[in-house]
Amino acid sequence: MGIFEELHGLPGPDAFARHLKAAISKNYGHASIAFLTKLVEAPSNNVERAAVLMKAFQEQNTVSGADGQVSRVLARFALAAAAGELALEFGVLPWSSGEAFDAARTCFRAWIVGRGGTEAAEDRDALTTVRRFLEAHGSSRFELIHGEDNTAGEQAIDSRIINRAGFVRHRAGEREYIFLPETWKDVCAGMDPGRVAKVLVERGFMLTGSDGKPQVKQRLPGIAKPARCYVVSSSILADD
């Protein structure tokens, strides 16, 4: 039924939409005026009640391990939920107790799904940026290091890589993409390359050196000495 969950006796979504449009063109603002009138009759008591309701909503819907951004948005939904429950208590809305909480909870969960999860937006963008680059260029801009464990069965590829972004090798049946520092900066353009690397390390998608730092020393074709580089596991492409 599109955006509608209840048609209130109308034969279909279109009929309900037209009925709703006609009704709101004649009647609007009544509920808000009634709500505000009740709110200011006992402002201190109502503010305290709203705080109690907000706290209850937040406690019921807090997501363990969620980023602070999510918690701040949860507080906004909690305010809407509290206002809705107050409107029920004031007799402004003809709903049952708890319905405003249910509605706000549904919207909050939908917001999380639309956002793509509960982690920090910057962290999510970091993963998306690297994943997108590998999806677009993983087969064309990375030179296969010959002599590495090739258990994935990949055939030796033409070494003439155009606009090379790095190297690729196989270890224990898994691809590893190797970026030199300057290329890594290009991949992370507009973002902090160090933060992006840190996010990948935390999620197990990037190797670390003996010092625990994301840069590791590798012997690479055409480079005389071991070079510092970033090594990203292909498992990042399969991560949900």
Side-chain angles (χ1 to χ4, degrees):
M1 297 189 293
I3 66 170
F4 304 124
E5 297 177 355
E6 170 60 51
L7 297 180
H8 302 281
L10 276 297
D14 179 62
F16 180 62
R18 285 186 281 107
H19 173 80
L20 192 62
K21 182 178 180 181
I24 62 177
S25 67
K26 297 179 180 178
N27 301 280
Y28 51 87
H30 305 321
S32 62
I33 294 172
F35 177 82
L36 293 172
T37 299
K38 284 287 187 180
L39 187 69
V40 298
E41 287 179 358
S44 297
N45 291 339
N46 289 329
V47 166
E48 290 179 7
R49 178 60 178 154
V52 170
L53 290 168
M54 287 181 65
K55 181 180 179 182
F57 184 85
Q58 288 174 292
E59 289 176 347
Q60 293 173 17
N61 296 281
T62 295
V63 181
S64 178
D67 182 72
Q69 298 169 352
V70 175
S71 298
R72 290 191 290 275
V73 171
L74 174 58
R76 299 291 187 92
F77 280 99
L79 180 59
E85 291 298 327
L86 277 177
L88 304 183
E89 295 175 6
F90 292 163
V92 174
L93 295 180
W95 299 345
S96 301
S97 177
E99 284 196 64
F101 266 35
D102 291 342
R105 182 181 301 109
T106 297
C107 293
F108 175 60
R109 290 175 177 173
W111 174 81
I112 289 177
V113 172
R115 182 180 185 272
T118 59
E119 62 194 354
E122 295 83 359
D123 292 354
R124 186 182 67 250
D125 292 345
L127 291 171
T128 300
T129 295
V130 177
R131 186 181 293 122
R132 185 183 295 122
F133 185 89
L134 292 177
E135 288 174 348
H137 307 296
S139 299
S140 61
R141 294 182 60 187
F142 290 84
E143 179 182 343
L144 178 66
I145 299 180
H146 299 287
E148 294 285 345
D149 174 14
N150 198 18
T151 54
E154 183 172 332
Q155 298 297 317
I157 60 176
D158 191 335
S159 60
R160 292 173 298 176
I161 301 295
I162 298 175
N163 193 20
R164 184 176 66 190
F167 300 86
V168 63
R169 68 184 181 192
H170 291 96
R171 284 201 319 176
E174 187 174 279
R175 284 186 179 188
E176 292 180 342
Y177 295 94
I178 304 172
F179 298 82
L180 291 171
E182 292 305 314
T183 305
W184 181 250
K185 291 179 182 178
D186 292 339
V187 172
C188 304
M191 307 178 72
D192 179 355
R195 179 183 175 88
V196 175
K198 181 175 181 290
V199 171
L200 266 62
V201 168
E202 290 175 347
R203 284 157 178 73
F205 298 138
M206 178 174 283
L207 270 62
T208 59
S210 57
D211 56 1
K213 295 182 179 179
Q215 284 192 2
V216 297
K217 283 192 174 184
Q218 299 286 330
R219 288 192 174 277
L220 300 172
I223 301 177
K225 297 181 179 180
R228 285 195 170 276
C229 50
Y230 297 92
V231 182
V232 178
S233 168
S234 61
S235 61
I236 191 175
L237 298 174
D239 178 62
D240 185 0

